Amino acid sequence: MRSLLLILTLPLLTAATWLAWQHRFQVDPAHPTVDLADLVAATPPAAGVSWESTPSGQPLLALKAGTPAQPVVQRLPLPGLPPAEFLLFDFKAQAQDLTPGTMPWADGRLMIEWHPEGRQMEPEYLGSARGSETSEISCLVVSSDLGPALPVLRLEHLGISGRFLLERCRITVVHETGWRRYGRWLLLAGWFAWAAGVATSGRTSGLARPLLAAAIWLICATQWAVPGPWEALRPMAANFARTPAPTAPAPSAPAVQAPPPATVAPPAAPPAAEPAAAESLGELEFSGSLLLMVKDKIKRARPLFHVLLFFFPAFVFAVLAGRWRCVFLTAALAAGIEGAQYLFGYGFDRTDVLDLLQDAAGIGLALLAHHRLTVWLRKRRHGGDPASPADASPGQPT
């Protein structure tokens, strides 16, 4: 009966998680949505930057290549937007024959500056492009880690040739809904109860160890799957339920492959406070969780990363809850990670299949290590006779 209940509640909890995530944000009606047309009227172009128009008459911001000593940088204050904590972005940036510089990060890049009152500015990376690449995301929520902060859009062309174009950019202030503020605690309680139900099923020698295993599983699930390790937040569908629908994909503008389009006339009275030029921020500090930082540092050792990522929690689950429960918990965790990545729009390909195989290898190694530990403990307890009857797990039956 318990097994059937656990099987039935798993899809229900999954559906509830999806629903709560999709309703996490809603538009703040007190503030306007800002797009490129608003920025044309509010910001003069810096040196090497021009406001242009596409064949359809929409504004386009173009940055040409500067020099290594003086790259082209454009800052764009967002008119009408107050200090905010969450911003919804819909943007498309494209490189046009852009040759990157000598550093790995020296290409065309789009960022948001967060200016909290009385504290140092913090930049956040949005997207980048080189060659003839396109960086396009129709629904992305970025947040200030320091609370409400004044946002400023920033573009940098750090390459040695070509152009970097901002073809579309729509920015909307959003805030979290009650689904997030209150519903997450119900979801956490529900998932903890599910993991505890798995960990305590069958014979146990107490509740402390299975409940600890459930708590560790829940921490892993929230850090690795949902919300996950990413700094910027994506919906699990085309857009969040209470936000504007994403911009319909448009055909590539001929202006990107053709000679530069006509220049849009600059505003008659540009804001005097905005400087004509700004310096590049150079290499940005890595943003994201410790998990992503480690993954970024050992790109060439990706298989080892996935094996170790699952070896340690699987070994702990085996010790605390027993081997078959360990398999069930870690399998659910691996499926949740890959499923969340797919729903967030990161896709699923053969690399992800290899990740799952490496996850399975980590689980298998953990079970082998647990078996060796069990045998060693049996010898210690029974005077060196490994055949003596004993629990298959320290303090826990299988």
Side-chain angles (χ1 to χ4, degrees), residues 48-295:
V49 182
S50 60
W51 283 109
E52 302 174 356
S53 60
T54 65
S56 62
Q58 298 300 314
L60 169 76
L61 187 64
L63 284 73
K64 68 179 184 179
T67 64
Q70 191 172 4
V72 175
V73 177
Q74 177 70 60
R75 298 179 68 251
L76 299 166
L78 306 178
L81 295 192
E85 190 170 359
F86 298 98
L87 291 178
L88 172 68
F89 276 84
D90 174 6
F91 70 87
K92 179 181 181 182
Q94 185 166 357
Q96 182 185 52
D97 299 325
L98 194 157
T99 303
T102 57
M103 302 303 293
W105 39 265
D107 50 14
R109 58 186 185 178
L110 176 67
M111 295 171 281
I112 187 74
E113 298 178 6
W114 293 109
H115 294 264
E117 185 176 358
R119 303 182 69 174
Q120 186 177 2
M121 182 272 289
E122 285 197 0
E124 184 172 346
Y125 170 89
L126 296 176
S128 64
R130 59 182 59 194
S132 298
E133 294 176 344
T134 297
S135 179
E136 182 175 15
I137 301 179
S138 59
C139 188
L140 182 74
V141 173
V142 297
S143 61
S144 167
D145 295 331
L146 304 175
L150 189 67
V152 175
L153 197 62
R154 183 185 188 97
L155 291 91
E156 296 185 357
H157 187 331
L158 307 180
I160 59 177
S161 67
R163 302 202 306 165
F164 182 55
L165 312 176
L166 183 61
E167 299 185 27
R168 183 181 80 244
C169 189
R170 184 172 65 175
I171 306 170
T172 306
V173 178
V174 295
H175 60 77
E176 290 187 313
T177 66
W179 286 78
R180 169 66 178 176
R181 291 193 296 270
Y182 310 114
R184 60 177 171 173
W185 302 112
L186 294 176
L187 277 175
L188 288 173
W191 280 113
F192 177 78
W194 181 86
V198 173
T200 58
S201 57
R203 287 190 304 123
T204 62
S205 57
L207 290 177
R209 290 189 178 193
L211 292 181
L212 179 58
I216 295 173
W217 183 91
L218 185 62
I219 292 173
C220 292
T222 55
Q223 296 301 309
W224 300 350
V226 181
W230 302 280
E231 178 138 357
L233 305 172
R234 298 180 180 221
M236 292 186 179
N239 62 295
F240 290 102
R242 301 187 182 187
T243 62
T247 302
S252 298
V256 174
Q257 302 296 334
T263 301
V264 175
E274 175 64 19
E279 295 183 357
S280 169
L281 296 179
E283 183 177 10
L284 300 181
E285 292 185 6
F286 188 87
S287 60
S289 72
L290 177 61
L291 178 69
L292 287 184
M293 183 181 299
V294 173
K295 188 175 182 179

